[in-house]
Every structure is written in structure tokens, then in C-alpha cells.
Amino acid sequence: MVKKAVLIGINYPGTKIELKGCVNDVHRMHKCLVDRYGFAEEDIKVLIDTDDSYTQPTGKNIRNALSELIKRAKSGDVLFVHYSGHGTRVPLEEGEEDDTGFDECIVPCDMNPIPDDDFRELVDQVPEGCKITFVSDSCHSGGLIDGAKEHIGESTNKNRNQEPKVQFFELEIWNFFYSVLMRLLVFCGICSSHEEPDKIEITARYEVGKSRYLPMESFINILKEKTGKDKIEVGKIRPTLFDVFGEDASPKVKKFIKVMLTKLDQSGLVVHEIYRGGSSNGLVPDRGILLSGCQTDETSADVKKGGEAYGAFSNAIQMVLSEGGEKDKITNKELVLRAREMLKEQGFAQRPGLYCNDRFVDAPFIC
């Protein structure tokens, strides 16, 4: 048995959508895999955008890394993927169906998105006797493996046409009034500036950072900057992505273009085979396990603790694992439920989810 992993952290440095904690998430998970789960350094592929000595997390490089991870896998191997970065969602095309009503996507550093359908296709290629665990600390991560069974969550089979809920306002207001209250108590001599009531210590020590939500408007604006194209509309995102990234675009984007060209073929246009990907369409048993940082209509937090930035969900995972001994095993279900409790205690409204086949619900996290 070989344990292999791909870890992806994207901070988008120097951009208007810059995050602070994603690369830290990757470094912490890397240490966890080696120290706790016995992964070998050479079997962990790291993609980050803050150090040029690492493979950059572009859409092409992420797809290649995931494809290589699965292509080399054999029965009995343990596969693991961790993603920390922005998430977005693209409205479905007319006539298209999805449990959540959108294409949930991760956002690589070059804005070449990878949608839930692509992750489904990758999971369907996992060999028999092997499983892949995917942690996504990003916005809209619920349902990121298209069609995976929802065991813990509120993402599927609902009307999701509203904008996502941004959860930080309540926490910001609380921290503001807490700060004012503490200053008043110090001024009145009731407590010293170093005293903090235990009751609110957990919530107050977190400095609210950014959401890992990338609105469609922001995505389009950055895509304009990177492509030099001024006229990009919501309904024209997929053709633009194919125009810019070509064969490096998402297989779903290429399939969409193929359908467009097929329709135009009636006018005499020569159609070339563009999309060569395949899917089991549910014929292969589901071997993917998704632990999402939030629901499809929610945002995930980039927060600060002790001067360092981390993803709220990634940090919760590390805290939950540290509650037990290094040899203590925790199930996927236990981890997600405990992370939910912990985030709620800390003042975050995001609700992690678990999406997998029934047999993986009570299986140990990772291995």
C-alpha cells in the first residue's frame, strides 16, 4: 500500500482577491500527513503560488497533478487531496441538471476554473480497492464532487439561486462590541487589560479575515485583466475560457464548445472532436470522499489566530485531530461533526459537509 497526496494552496498574492491563510493550510496538512499518517515526503505533491520553487497551481498543473495521482494508483493505495483557495460557482446552461443548481468550482491562480463535473470524472477513474479523500477549504465546496451522496450537509436538492450567505458580519459586530466593553471595564477599574473572561475567549481571539468567496463579478473582472478581453459576460464565460485556455480548459468547457459547434454544423461548419473525456455515469462504485468547508451557498473563512492566518475549516481539522493521540483514529463523520461544533463555538456560520458512499461514512479519516 502506498499513501499519496496532492496539496494545493492559493493565496493569489498581489491581486485584489488575495488571501492569507491558504498556503499555511497546506504546510500544516503536509506536516500532519507525514507525522500522523506516515506519508513519505516524495509521495506528497505540493502546489502553491507564493514560492516559485514549487509547481504553480494553475488549472493545467492542478489537473495534471490530480490525473497523475489517480493514474498511478493501485488497489489498496490511499489517495488524499487538500485544496485551500477561492471557490466560485457558475450558473448552469439551459437544460443542464445539477443537485445544487450550479457548477461549484475551485479557482486556480490563472483563473482557469475546475468544476464539480471534472472532479466527478476524476473520482470515477479511481481504481477498484482504492479511495480518494478530498478536503476543500473553499467557498461553495458543498457538492464539489458532482453527484456524491450527501451525508452531512444542506447543499443538494434545494433552490440555490440566491447569493451565498456571507457569515462574518455577525462576528465582526460581536468583536467590536466586545472590544468596547473590555475598554470600558478597564477604564472603570473592573478588570485589567490582560484579563479576558473564559466565556468569550474562543470567539474573541479570532481576527476576522476575508471570505474565500469569489463573486462572479470579481472572477470576470480578473479574467478580463488576465486576458485583455473587455467583453466577458456571465453567459459567455465558457466560450471565453476555451478561447483563452484551449486544450488546457476544463473538459466540461470543451464539451460545451463541442455542443455549440455541433449546433453550428447545420450551417456547414466543420466540427472537430474537442472533448475526449469520459465518465462512468454512475456505473462505477463511488470511491470519492469529500469533506467540504461549507455548503454550496455558503462562504468559508480566511481567519487569523495568534498572528498567523489559516482557513477556519483547515484549522478546525487540525484542532480536532490534536484532541486525540497521534494513533487515535477518527471517522469521517466524527471529524465533520466535531468541526461543525468547533466552528459554531468560534462564531462562524459555515457548516462543513460530508459527501461519500455509505461505506465511507464511518471509515477512518484518510486511513
Side-chain angles (χ1 to χ4, degrees):
M1 179 186 73
V2 178
K3 302 173 183 178
K4 298 181 180 180
V6 172
L7 309 180
I8 307 156
I10 312 179
N11 279 357
Y12 315 90
T15 70
K16 296 177 182 178
I17 59 169
E18 183 172 2
L19 298 172
K20 299 296 184 182
C22 301
V23 173
N24 286 340
D25 292 343
V26 162
H27 290 319
R28 293 178 77 190
M29 183 55 76
H30 185 282
K31 186 177 188 305
C32 177
L33 292 179
V34 173
D35 295 348
R36 185 184 182 95
Y37 291 101
F39 280 65
E41 296 267 0
E42 60 269 22
D43 290 326
I44 303 176
K45 176 73 172 179
V46 176
L47 298 88
I48 57 176
D49 63 346
T50 55
D51 187 337
D52 290 339
S53 66
Y54 287 85
T55 302
Q56 296 302 290
T58 63
K60 177 182 179 180
N61 289 342
I62 292 174
R63 288 188 184 89
N64 287 344
L66 296 177
S67 295
E68 191 70 12
L69 177 73
I70 293 171
K71 184 171 64 176
R72 293 179 177 273
K74 299 178 181 178
S75 179
D77 287 354
V78 173
L79 308 181
F80 179 75
V81 177
H82 181 110
Y83 171 76
S84 281
H86 274 302
T88 192
R89 55 184 186 171
V90 179
L92 299 176
E93 297 297 328
E94 185 176 353
E96 189 178 8
E97 294 183 359
D98 189 286
D99 286 344
T100 65
F102 290 87
D103 273 341
E104 291 83 18
C105 307
I106 66 169
V107 183
C109 64
D110 62 346
M111 300 295 119
N112 184 4
I114 302 178
D116 51 5
D117 298 78
D118 290 6
F119 287 109
R120 161 53 55 202
E121 188 169 302
L122 286 166
V123 167
D124 285 346
Q125 297 171 27
V126 173
E128 184 178 358
C130 186
K131 67 177 181 179
I132 184 168
T133 301
F134 183 29
V135 172
S136 186
D137 192 353
S138 58
C139 297
H140 314 305
S141 45
L144 195 54
I145 297 179
D146 186 53
K149 184 175 181 179
E150 182 179 75
H151 286 277
I152 302 174
E154 299 80 21
S155 287
T156 62
N157 299 319
K158 293 185 178 182
N159 183 1
R160 297 295 181 180
N161 293 322
Q162 72 274 19
E163 278 299 296
K165 295 174 272 188
V166 180
Q167 301 116 356
F168 308 113
F169 181 72
E170 181 180 347
L171 184 56
E172 286 177 329
I173 293 296
W174 168 247
N175 282 340
F176 170 76
F177 283 110
Y178 167 73
S179 177
V180 172
L181 174 62
M182 290 304 297
R183 288 190 177 94
L184 180 61
L185 291 176
V186 171
F187 178 77
C188 296
I190 297 175
C191 70
S192 73
S193 60
H194 299 291
E195 292 178 350
E196 293 186 2
D198 293 339
K199 196 173 187 179
I200 53 180
E201 180 180 354
I202 293 179
T203 301
R205 69 186 180 191
Y206 282 85
E207 177 185 342
V208 178
K210 288 186 176 181
S211 158
R212 292 183 174 180
Y213 165 48
L214 184 60
M216 185 52 54
E217 181 181 356
S218 298
F219 176 80
I220 290 176
N221 288 336
I222 294 174
L223 194 59
K224 288 179 179 179
E225 292 176 6
K226 287 185 173 291
T227 62
K229 296 179 179 293
D230 294 328
K231 296 182 179 180
I232 301 178
E233 302 173 3
V234 172
K236 298 180 180 179
I237 289 178
R238 291 178 177 88
T240 300
L241 291 173
F242 181 75
D243 186 36
V244 173
F245 297 108
E247 287 298 319
D248 293 333
S250 159
K252 181 169 185 177
V253 168
K254 292 186 284 187
K255 183 178 181 180
F256 171 75
I257 297 301
K258 177 186 175 182
V259 171
M260 287 183 61
L261 293 179
T262 301
K263 291 179 179 179
L264 290 172
D265 188 41
Q266 298 175 358
S267 300
L269 181 67
V270 177
V271 179
H272 299 283
E273 183 66 24
I274 295 175
Y275 179 74
R276 296 181 177 85
S279 174
S280 67
N281 294 320
L283 299 179
V284 176
D286 200 336
R287 298 173 184 128
I289 305 164
L290 170 66
L291 287 78
S292 67
C294 63
Q295 301 304 298
T296 188
D297 64 340
E298 294 178 344
T299 60
S300 291
D302 212 47
V303 300
K304 288 186 178 180
K305 175 188 174 185
E308 290 291 332
Y310 302 103
F313 181 51
S314 295
N315 186 59
I317 289 176
Q318 297 299 330
M319 292 178 69
V320 171
L321 293 177
S322 68
E323 290 178 340
E326 287 192 3
K327 294 185 178 180
D328 291 341
K329 291 184 181 293
I330 185 170
T331 68
N332 293 309
K333 179 180 179 180
E334 291 169 339
L335 178 58
V336 172
L337 290 177
R338 182 68 187 105
R340 277 191 163 211
E341 293 174 0
M342 191 171 288
L343 290 171
K344 186 176 181 179
E345 290 169 0
Q346 294 167 356
F348 296 102
Q350 68 187 77
R351 299 166 296 175
L354 175 62
Y355 305 81
C356 62
N357 186 280
D358 293 347
R359 69 185 187 279
F360 294 134
V361 175
D362 293 314
F365 175 59
I366 300 182
C367 62

